[in-house]
Amino acid sequence: MSRYLLLSKKTGQLGNRLTVFAHCLAAARERGFRLLNPSFCEYAPFFTGPSGSLWRMDEPRASRQGIPMAERQLGYALARVAWQSAKLLRHASLGTIAMARARNEVPLDLRDVLDAAGPRCRLLILQGYHFRHHGWYRRHDAFIRTFLQPAQPWRAEGDAAVAELRRACAVVVGVHIRHGDYRQHLGGRFFFPVSTYVRFMTEIRRALAPRTVAFLVCSNAVHADDDFAGFVWRRGPGHLVSDLQALSRCDFIVGPPSSFSSWAAYHGGVPVLRVEDAQRAIDLEDFQVDPTPHPLY
């Protein structure tokens, strides 16, 4: 009899949802569960694996392209009903229904979560962002990278943006400026002014000399052309997923802690520096490659 792992609630924006999706996909493959992820509904059309599926998102399904968004939203609504219903039904399910909720910033180990569900469990419903298992992830990394790669035309748009910069310079550095929601997020702790990013860019260019450096600036805010005067630079393509792909094609990525740029760095194998202190100096030795999706927060 099949066993199902259901991600029942949207957790933040694209980077967050890719991260928890990927770790739960690894857990499902490791333990023989089928992964249901209607919480990825509005992003599913932009990624090769999920684009062909309404509910089950653990293997490519080319037969259902062009699923109406209304169907995806209905699937998510049913997942929310399932979570609420399971609060009562699990007590009478004889162990066939289980639930787990990640309530805070301390990650829950998916091995512990699946073990606690027990061998009789046929439906395990998860809610929350902080579910992880890096060991399982490493074993299923190749499949997940392919399954969660951006679909066309967004992948090509990202590739083209970086290719344009490579024709001008030897090194391309992705700069992720997180404004917008970061003005309030964690009390504005990682909301850095444009002048701070300009200093980062200046120090990176100096550290990489004599190689020529171009910058790809991706942001959720609008910036003036002269904000980065004196640099070889261009904006990201402009679509959320095209920007994600473009960052993943850079040689380095710098920005505040963010699951968005962390995913791009992981997926592209790009050294990333997550800046927590706006006053810090930039040292190339501090850029690191993440072998699994691992945002700081």
PDB file of all heavy atoms in Angstrom, residues 236-262:
ATOM      1  N   GLY A 236      19.022  41.787 -13.513  1.00  0.00           N
ATOM      2  CA  GLY A 236      18.566  40.455 -13.851  1.00  0.00           C
ATOM      3  C   GLY A 236      17.473  40.528 -14.898  1.00  0.00           C
ATOM      4  O   GLY A 236      16.935  41.608 -15.184  1.00  0.00           O
ATOM      5  N   PRO A 237      17.102  39.400 -15.493  1.00  0.00           N
ATOM      6  CA  PRO A 237      16.085  39.411 -16.549  1.00  0.00           C
ATOM      7  C   PRO A 237      14.749  39.992 -16.101  1.00  0.00           C
ATOM      8  O   PRO A 237      13.982  40.489 -16.919  1.00  0.00           O
ATOM      9  CB  PRO A 237      15.943  37.931 -16.914  1.00  0.00           C
ATOM     10  CG  PRO A 237      17.236  37.312 -16.493  1.00  0.00           C
ATOM     11  CD  PRO A 237      17.677  38.066 -15.278  1.00  0.00           C
ATOM     12  N   GLY A 238      14.443  39.901 -14.803  1.00  0.00           N
ATOM     13  CA  GLY A 238      13.234  40.546 -14.308  1.00  0.00           C
ATOM     14  C   GLY A 238      12.156  39.610 -13.817  1.00  0.00           C
ATOM     15  O   GLY A 238      11.340  39.989 -12.982  1.00  0.00           O
ATOM     16  N   HIS A 239      12.123  38.377 -14.325  1.00  0.00           N
ATOM     17  CA  HIS A 239      11.179  37.391 -13.811  1.00  0.00           C
ATOM     18  C   HIS A 239      11.831  36.668 -12.641  1.00  0.00           C
ATOM     19  O   HIS A 239      13.034  36.403 -12.641  1.00  0.00           O
ATOM     20  CB  HIS A 239      10.793  36.393 -14.904  1.00  0.00           C
ATOM     21  CG  HIS A 239       9.706  35.445 -14.505  1.00  0.00           C
ATOM     22  ND1 HIS A 239       9.941  34.317 -13.749  1.00  0.00           N
ATOM     23  CD2 HIS A 239       8.370  35.456 -14.758  1.00  0.00           C
ATOM     24  CE1 HIS A 239       8.808  33.676 -13.555  1.00  0.00           C
ATOM     25  NE2 HIS A 239       7.835  34.345 -14.155  1.00  0.00           N
ATOM     26  N   LEU A 240      11.039  36.334 -11.638  1.00  0.00           N
ATOM     27  CA  LEU A 240      11.561  35.692 -10.436  1.00  0.00           C
ATOM     28  C   LEU A 240      12.419  34.473 -10.764  1.00  0.00           C
ATOM     29  O   LEU A 240      13.525  34.302 -10.235  1.00  0.00           O
ATOM     30  CB  LEU A 240      10.373  35.287  -9.552  1.00  0.00           C
ATOM     31  CG  LEU A 240      10.666  34.780  -8.148  1.00  0.00           C
ATOM     32  CD1 LEU A 240      11.219  35.900  -7.284  1.00  0.00           C
ATOM     33  CD2 LEU A 240       9.389  34.213  -7.521  1.00  0.00           C
ATOM     34  N   VAL A 241      11.948  33.623 -11.654  1.00  0.00           N
ATOM     35  CA  VAL A 241      12.650  32.374 -11.954  1.00  0.00           C
ATOM     36  C   VAL A 241      13.826  32.618 -12.897  1.00  0.00           C
ATOM     37  O   VAL A 241      14.875  31.985 -12.772  1.00  0.00           O
ATOM     38  CB  VAL A 241      11.668  31.339 -12.526  1.00  0.00           C
ATOM     39  CG1 VAL A 241      12.388  30.046 -12.905  1.00  0.00           C
ATOM     40  CG2 VAL A 241      10.570  31.043 -11.499  1.00  0.00           C
ATOM     41  N   SER A 242      13.691  33.549 -13.823  1.00  0.00           N
ATOM     42  CA  SER A 242      14.824  33.905 -14.689  1.00  0.00           C
ATOM     43  C   SER A 242      15.963  34.498 -13.866  1.00  0.00           C
ATOM     44  O   SER A 242      17.141  34.209 -14.117  1.00  0.00           O
ATOM     45  CB  SER A 242      14.382  34.905 -15.759  1.00  0.00           C
ATOM     46  OG  SER A 242      13.329  34.393 -16.534  1.00  0.00           O
ATOM     47  N   ASP A 243      15.621  35.335 -12.888  1.00  0.00           N
ATOM     48  CA  ASP A 243      16.649  35.888 -12.001  1.00  0.00           C
ATOM     49  C   ASP A 243      17.329  34.779 -11.199  1.00  0.00           C
ATOM     50  O   ASP A 243      18.554  34.791 -11.008  1.00  0.00           O
ATOM     51  CB  ASP A 243      16.027  36.903 -11.043  1.00  0.00           C
ATOM     52  CG  ASP A 243      15.780  38.260 -11.687  1.00  0.00           C
ATOM     53  OD1 ASP A 243      16.044  38.411 -12.899  1.00  0.00           O
ATOM     54  OD2 ASP A 243      15.307  39.171 -10.980  1.00  0.00           O
ATOM     55  N   LEU A 244      16.539  33.834 -10.720  1.00  0.00           N
ATOM     56  CA  LEU A 244      17.096  32.708  -9.967  1.00  0.00           C
ATOM     57  C   LEU A 244      18.098  31.939 -10.823  1.00  0.00           C
ATOM     58  O   LEU A 244      19.203  31.603 -10.373  1.00  0.00           O
ATOM     59  CB  LEU A 244      15.959  31.792  -9.515  1.00  0.00           C
ATOM     60  CG  LEU A 244      16.310  30.681  -8.529  1.00  0.00           C
ATOM     61  CD1 LEU A 244      16.550  31.248  -7.135  1.00  0.00           C
ATOM     62  CD2 LEU A 244      15.187  29.643  -8.477  1.00  0.00           C
ATOM     63  N   GLN A 245      17.720  31.665 -12.067  1.00  0.00           N
ATOM     64  CA  GLN A 245      18.611  30.954 -12.980  1.00  0.00           C
ATOM     65  C   GLN A 245      19.865  31.764 -13.265  1.00  0.00           C
ATOM     66  O   GLN A 245      20.981  31.223 -13.282  1.00  0.00           O
ATOM     67  CB  GLN A 245      17.878  30.643 -14.285  1.00  0.00           C
ATOM     68  CG  GLN A 245      18.737  30.019 -15.375  1.00  0.00           C
ATOM     69  CD  GLN A 245      19.157  28.597 -15.068  1.00  0.00           C
ATOM     70  OE1 GLN A 245      18.659  27.976 -14.131  1.00  0.00           O
ATOM     71  NE2 GLN A 245      20.080  28.061 -15.855  1.00  0.00           N
ATOM     72  N   ALA A 246      19.701  33.070 -13.492  1.00  0.00           N
ATOM     73  CA  ALA A 246      20.855  33.916 -13.800  1.00  0.00           C
ATOM     74  C   ALA A 246      21.853  33.921 -12.643  1.00  0.00           C
ATOM     75  O   ALA A 246      23.068  33.790 -12.856  1.00  0.00           O
ATOM     76  CB  ALA A 246      20.394  35.335 -14.120  1.00  0.00           C
ATOM     77  N   LEU A 247      21.370  34.062 -11.423  1.00  0.00           N
ATOM     78  CA  LEU A 247      22.274  34.034 -10.272  1.00  0.00           C
ATOM     79  C   LEU A 247      23.026  32.705 -10.200  1.00  0.00           C
ATOM     80  O   LEU A 247      24.209  32.669  -9.845  1.00  0.00           O
ATOM     81  CB  LEU A 247      21.487  34.266  -8.982  1.00  0.00           C
ATOM     82  CG  LEU A 247      21.023  35.696  -8.710  1.00  0.00           C
ATOM     83  CD1 LEU A 247      20.076  35.730  -7.516  1.00  0.00           C
ATOM     84  CD2 LEU A 247      22.203  36.633  -8.474  1.00  0.00           C
ATOM     85  N   SER A 248      22.347  31.618 -10.548  1.00  0.00           N
ATOM     86  CA  SER A 248      22.983  30.299 -10.465  1.00  0.00           C
ATOM     87  C   SER A 248      24.084  30.117 -11.498  1.00  0.00           C
ATOM     88  O   SER A 248      24.868  29.168 -11.409  1.00  0.00           O
ATOM     89  CB  SER A 248      21.935  29.191 -10.629  1.00  0.00           C
ATOM     90  OG  SER A 248      21.561  29.018 -11.982  1.00  0.00           O
ATOM     91  N   ARG A 249      24.171  31.016 -12.489  1.00  0.00           N
ATOM     92  CA  ARG A 249      25.193  30.938 -13.532  1.00  0.00           C
ATOM     93  C   ARG A 249      26.370  31.873 -13.272  1.00  0.00           C
ATOM     94  O   ARG A 249      27.315  31.903 -14.072  1.00  0.00           O
ATOM     95  CB  ARG A 249      24.571  31.271 -14.891  1.00  0.00           C
ATOM     96  CG  ARG A 249      23.537  30.268 -15.378  1.00  0.00           C
ATOM     97  CD  ARG A 249      24.111  28.880 -15.464  1.00  0.00           C
ATOM     98  NE  ARG A 249      23.221  27.951 -16.153  1.00  0.00           N
ATOM     99  CZ  ARG A 249      23.400  26.637 -16.187  1.00  0.00           C
ATOM    100  NH1 ARG A 249      24.443  26.116 -15.556  1.00  0.00           N
ATOM    101  NH2 ARG A 249      22.555  25.860 -16.830  1.00  0.00           N
ATOM    102  N   CYS A 250      26.320  32.613 -12.188  1.00  0.00           N
ATOM    103  CA  CYS A 250      27.415  33.537 -11.872  1.00  0.00           C
ATOM    104  C   CYS A 250      28.610  32.788 -11.290  1.00  0.00           C
ATOM    105  O   CYS A 250      28.527  31.598 -10.962  1.00  0.00           O
ATOM    106  CB  CYS A 250      26.924  34.599 -10.887  1.00  0.00           C
ATOM    107  SG  CYS A 250      25.663  35.707 -11.573  1.00  0.00           S
ATOM    108  N   ASP A 251      29.726  33.492 -11.137  1.00  0.00           N
ATOM    109  CA  ASP A 251      30.930  32.910 -10.537  1.00  0.00           C
ATOM    110  C   ASP A 251      30.953  33.086  -9.024  1.00  0.00           C
ATOM    111  O   ASP A 251      31.569  32.291  -8.311  1.00  0.00           O
ATOM    112  CB  ASP A 251      32.172  33.553 -11.146  1.00  0.00           C
ATOM    113  CG  ASP A 251      32.258  33.320 -12.644  1.00  0.00           C
ATOM    114  OD1 ASP A 251      32.244  32.149 -13.069  1.00  0.00           O
ATOM    115  OD2 ASP A 251      32.314  34.316 -13.398  1.00  0.00           O
ATOM    116  N   PHE A 252      30.302  34.131  -8.537  1.00  0.00           N
ATOM    117  CA  PHE A 252      30.156  34.395  -7.109  1.00  0.00           C
ATOM    118  C   PHE A 252      28.781  35.030  -6.903  1.00  0.00           C
ATOM    119  O   PHE A 252      28.237  35.650  -7.815  1.00  0.00           O
ATOM    120  CB  PHE A 252      31.225  35.369  -6.583  1.00  0.00           C
ATOM    121  CG  PHE A 252      32.642  34.896  -6.708  1.00  0.00           C
ATOM    122  CD1 PHE A 252      33.385  35.185  -7.849  1.00  0.00           C
ATOM    123  CD2 PHE A 252      33.245  34.178  -5.685  1.00  0.00           C
ATOM    124  CE1 PHE A 252      34.699  34.768  -7.972  1.00  0.00           C
ATOM    125  CE2 PHE A 252      34.560  33.751  -5.793  1.00  0.00           C
ATOM    126  CZ  PHE A 252      35.290  34.042  -6.939  1.00  0.00           C
ATOM    127  N   ILE A 253      28.254  34.885  -5.683  1.00  0.00           N
ATOM    128  CA  ILE A 253      27.015  35.567  -5.302  1.00  0.00           C
ATOM    129  C   ILE A 253      27.239  36.220  -3.948  1.00  0.00           C
ATOM    130  O   ILE A 253      27.788  35.602  -3.028  1.00  0.00           O
ATOM    131  CB  ILE A 253      25.821  34.596  -5.202  1.00  0.00           C
ATOM    132  CG1 ILE A 253      25.522  33.954  -6.561  1.00  0.00           C
ATOM    133  CG2 ILE A 253      24.575  35.319  -4.678  1.00  0.00           C
ATOM    134  CD1 ILE A 253      24.452  32.864  -6.497  1.00  0.00           C
ATOM    135  N   VAL A 254      26.794  37.475  -3.821  1.00  0.00           N
ATOM    136  CA  VAL A 254      26.860  38.170  -2.539  1.00  0.00           C
ATOM    137  C   VAL A 254      25.496  38.779  -2.248  1.00  0.00           C
ATOM    138  O   VAL A 254      24.799  39.245  -3.155  1.00  0.00           O
ATOM    139  CB  VAL A 254      27.963  39.256  -2.546  1.00  0.00           C
ATOM    140  CG1 VAL A 254      27.653  40.355  -3.557  1.00  0.00           C
ATOM    141  CG2 VAL A 254      28.159  39.841  -1.154  1.00  0.00           C
ATOM    142  N   GLY A 255      25.112  38.758  -0.985  1.00  0.00           N
ATOM    143  CA  GLY A 255      23.840  39.342  -0.584  1.00  0.00           C
ATOM    144  C   GLY A 255      23.555  39.016   0.866  1.00  0.00           C
ATOM    145  O   GLY A 255      24.341  38.327   1.529  1.00  0.00           O
ATOM    146  N   PRO A 256      22.443  39.496   1.388  1.00  0.00           N
ATOM    147  CA  PRO A 256      22.079  39.168   2.762  1.00  0.00           C
ATOM    148  C   PRO A 256      21.607  37.719   2.847  1.00  0.00           C
ATOM    149  O   PRO A 256      21.360  37.083   1.810  1.00  0.00           O
ATOM    150  CB  PRO A 256      20.925  40.139   3.045  1.00  0.00           C
ATOM    151  CG  PRO A 256      20.288  40.322   1.705  1.00  0.00           C
ATOM    152  CD  PRO A 256      21.423  40.313   0.712  1.00  0.00           C
ATOM    153  N   PRO A 257      21.475  37.156   4.038  1.00  0.00           N
ATOM    154  CA  PRO A 257      20.914  35.809   4.154  1.00  0.00           C
ATOM    155  C   PRO A 257      19.528  35.756   3.513  1.00  0.00           C
ATOM    156  O   PRO A 257      18.647  36.544   3.845  1.00  0.00           O
ATOM    157  CB  PRO A 257      20.837  35.591   5.670  1.00  0.00           C
ATOM    158  CG  PRO A 257      21.883  36.495   6.231  1.00  0.00           C
ATOM    159  CD  PRO A 257      21.865  37.713   5.350  1.00  0.00           C
ATOM    160  N   SER A 258      19.350  34.852   2.580  1.00  0.00           N
ATOM    161  CA  SER A 258      18.092  34.732   1.851  1.00  0.00           C
ATOM    162  C   SER A 258      18.015  33.338   1.255  1.00  0.00           C
ATOM    163  O   SER A 258      18.986  32.860   0.654  1.00  0.00           O
ATOM    164  CB  SER A 258      18.014  35.779   0.736  1.00  0.00           C
ATOM    165  OG  SER A 258      16.986  35.474  -0.183  1.00  0.00           O
ATOM    166  N   SER A 259      16.873  32.697   1.398  1.00  0.00           N
ATOM    167  CA  SER A 259      16.720  31.371   0.803  1.00  0.00           C
ATOM    168  C   SER A 259      16.721  31.447  -0.721  1.00  0.00           C
ATOM    169  O   SER A 259      17.045  30.465  -1.396  1.00  0.00           O
ATOM    170  CB  SER A 259      15.433  30.707   1.307  1.00  0.00           C
ATOM    171  OG  SER A 259      14.302  31.511   1.024  1.00  0.00           O
ATOM    172  N   PHE A 260      16.388  32.605  -1.287  1.00  0.00           N
ATOM    173  CA  PHE A 260      16.369  32.765  -2.745  1.00  0.00           C
ATOM    174  C   PHE A 260      17.782  32.661  -3.319  1.00  0.00           C
ATOM    175  O   PHE A 260      18.064  31.813  -4.170  1.00  0.00           O
ATOM    176  CB  PHE A 260      15.734  34.110  -3.104  1.00  0.00           C
ATOM    177  CG  PHE A 260      15.572  34.344  -4.582  1.00  0.00           C
ATOM    178  CD1 PHE A 260      14.479  33.842  -5.260  1.00  0.00           C
ATOM    179  CD2 PHE A 260      16.510  35.081  -5.291  1.00  0.00           C
ATOM    180  CE1 PHE A 260      14.319  34.056  -6.632  1.00  0.00           C
ATOM    181  CE2 PHE A 260      16.366  35.307  -6.655  1.00  0.00           C
ATOM    182  CZ  PHE A 260      15.266  34.792  -7.325  1.00  0.00           C
ATOM    183  N   SER A 261      18.686  33.517  -2.850  1.00  0.00           N
ATOM    184  CA  SER A 261      20.053  33.464  -3.365  1.00  0.00           C
ATOM    185  C   SER A 261      20.781  32.217  -2.878  1.00  0.00           C
ATOM    186  O   SER A 261      21.674  31.703  -3.568  1.00  0.00           O
ATOM    187  CB  SER A 261      20.828  34.727  -2.982  1.00  0.00           C
ATOM    188  OG  SER A 261      20.733  34.989  -1.602  1.00  0.00           O
ATOM    189  N   SER A 262      20.400  31.691  -1.710  1.00  0.00           N
ATOM    190  CA  SER A 262      21.005  30.445  -1.235  1.00  0.00           C
ATOM    191  C   SER A 262      20.656  29.290  -2.167  1.00  0.00           C
ATOM    192  O   SER A 262      21.499  28.440  -2.465  1.00  0.00           O
ATOM    193  CB  SER A 262      20.536  30.127   0.187  1.00  0.00           C
ATOM    194  OG  SER A 262      21.087  31.032   1.116  1.00  0.00           O
TER     195      SER A 262
END
